[in-house]
Amino acid sequence: MLLLQREPEMPMETDEPTVVTTWENRAQIIEIMHSAREMSQQFQHLWDKSGGSGRLSQDDTDRLIELLREIGNLNDMLMRLA
C-alpha cells in the first residue's frame, strides 16, 4: 500500500487532521485538486473581467459566491478523506 504523508517543517500546535494519500483515495484527491484548479481559473477570469478593480456585475458576484461555496464543499470533501 502506498502511503504519502507531508510532515510539517516545524512543529505546529493544531488540531487539524493530516491529509494522507493512499491508493484507495488517490483518485478522489486528484479529482478534488482538478476541481480546485478549474475554480481557480474561474476566479482569475472574474478578476480579469473586473479589470483588476474587483468591481463585478451582479451576475459575476453571484458566480463568485457560487465559487466560494464550491471551494468550501471541496474543503469538506478533502477533510472527510483525511
Side-chain angles (χ1 to χ4, degrees):
M1 171 176 25
L2 174 67
L3 179 66
L4 300 174
Q5 186 172 345
R6 182 176 178 212
E7 295 293 329
E9 294 177 10
M10 54 199 287
M12 295 173 38
E13 295 180 20
T14 173
D15 293 333
E16 294 182 26
T18 300
V19 177
V20 176
T21 302
T22 65
W23 282 116
E24 291 82 20
N25 65 8
R26 179 181 177 273
Q28 290 171 301
I29 292 174
I30 289 173
E31 183 179 327
I32 289 169
M33 294 303 147
H34 178 72
S35 295
R37 187 185 72 190
E38 287 178 5
M39 286 180 209
S40 174
Q41 290 171 340
Q42 291 178 36
F43 242 68
Q44 184 64 48
H45 174 73
L46 287 173
W47 176 257
D48 292 343
K49 195 172 179 181
S50 77
S53 70
R55 293 184 176 269
L56 299 171
S57 69
Q58 186 61 51
D59 288 340
D60 289 341
T61 300
D62 292 343
R63 180 61 191 138
L64 178 62
I65 291 169
E66 287 175 32
L67 280 172
L68 292 172
R69 188 173 296 121
E70 291 174 24
I71 289 169
N73 291 340
L74 286 178
N75 186 50
D76 290 343
M77 288 171 43
L78 188 57
M79 287 301 152
R80 280 195 300 269
L81 291 174

